[in-house]
Amino acid sequence: MEFLSIIIALIALVFSVYTYRKSVVHERKKATLDAYNRLQNEALDNINLYSSQRIAGIIENPRSEEFKKLGAYIARIEHFCVGVNKEIYDKDTVYELAHGYFDGGLRKRIEPIINRKNINGHDFYENIHKVYAWMDEKTGKDEK
């Protein structure tokens, strides 16, 4: 009888650990969706209003209000990427949400601004670049 109690307790333990882990993964994915939606509203939608040609003109005057506004949007993207790189957000969910846009059209728009801001040799947007590299690597693996 004692042996049966131990087995039941072990089964209960395994079940509770499994349930806890599943709950944590679910919450992390939900937090990722929420953070990406917030990023979309606060930065990405606004950047989408700028064409590459318009951005090229804006970076000629880094003291302009539009340059500062674009810099603030990119800072929000960097903040989100810190969460991705620190695994606060679920990378697979980020990839599903953003692949093709983040590492494609958005990258082409914001890289000239980032390059202008990184003029002194320090990469102030290191986390964005790490996410690009990770997405590029994942895309390469997915295509094989």
Side-chain angles (χ1 to χ4, degrees), residues 8-24:
I8 291 172
L10 286 174
I11 290 171
L13 176 67
V14 168
F15 181 73
S16 65
V17 168
Y18 171 79
T19 303
Y20 172 76
R21 175 75 179 134
K22 190 138 177 95
S23 172
V24 167

Side-chain angles (χ1 to χ4, degrees), residues 32-49 69 72-74 76-77 80 101 106:
T32 303
L33 285 169
D34 292 343
Y36 191 80
N37 283 334
R38 199 168 36 260
L39 179 68
Q40 184 76 46
N41 291 329
E42 294 176 359
L44 303 179
D45 287 345
N46 296 312
I47 291 172
N48 287 336
L49 300 174
K69 190 183 297 186
Y73 298 146
I74 295 170
R76 288 188 181 123
I77 296 168
F80 176 79
Y101 168 69
L106 179 67

Side-chain angles (χ1 to χ4, degrees), residues 1 8 16 20 24-26 30-32 43 46 62 64 66 68-69 89 93 95 103 109-110 113 125-126 135 141:
M1 192 64 166
I8 291 172
S16 65
Y20 172 76
V24 167
V25 168
H26 175 77
K30 184 179 180 318
T32 303
N46 296 312
S64 73
E66 282 189 299
K68 291 175 185 175
K69 190 183 297 186
Y89 301 132
T93 303
Y95 188 80
D103 54 339
R109 278 198 189 114
I110 67 173
I113 302 162
Y125 302 96
E126 173 183 5
M135 283 186 157
K141 287 179 183 176

Side-chain angles (χ1 to χ4, degrees), residues 18-126:
Y18 171 79
T19 303
Y20 172 76
R21 175 75 179 134
K22 190 138 177 95
S23 172
V24 167
V25 168
H26 175 77
E27 286 301 314
R28 200 162 146 233
K29 288 179 180 184
K30 184 179 180 318
T32 303
L33 285 169
D34 292 343
Y36 191 80
N37 283 334
R38 199 168 36 260
L39 179 68
Q40 184 76 46
N41 291 329
E42 294 176 359
L44 303 179
D45 287 345
N46 296 312
I47 291 172
N48 287 336
L49 300 174
Y50 293 86
S51 68
S52 296
Q53 295 80 12
R54 185 171 170 203
I55 289 173
I58 291 169
I59 63 173
E60 296 301 317
N61 183 5
R63 295 183 188 266
S64 73
E65 284 304 311
E66 282 189 299
F67 187 84
K68 291 175 185 175
K69 190 183 297 186
L70 285 168
Y73 298 146
I74 295 170
R76 288 188 181 123
I77 296 168
E78 174 72 5
H79 182 173
F80 176 79
C81 289
V82 168
V84 173
N85 292 325
K86 295 290 184 182
E87 298 183 5
I88 293 167
Y89 301 132
D90 181 67
K91 281 189 165 186
D92 290 333
T93 303
V94 170
Y95 188 80
E96 289 295 318
L97 287 167
H99 170 61
Y101 168 69
F102 189 86
D103 54 339
L106 179 67
R107 179 191 228 168
K108 289 176 186 164
R109 278 198 189 114
I110 67 173
E111 266 313 298
I113 302 162
I114 289 173
N115 290 337
R116 178 70 181 201
K117 287 180 161 280
N118 285 342
I119 218 156
N120 293 331
H122 180 73
D123 188 0
F124 295 104
Y125 302 96
E126 173 183 5

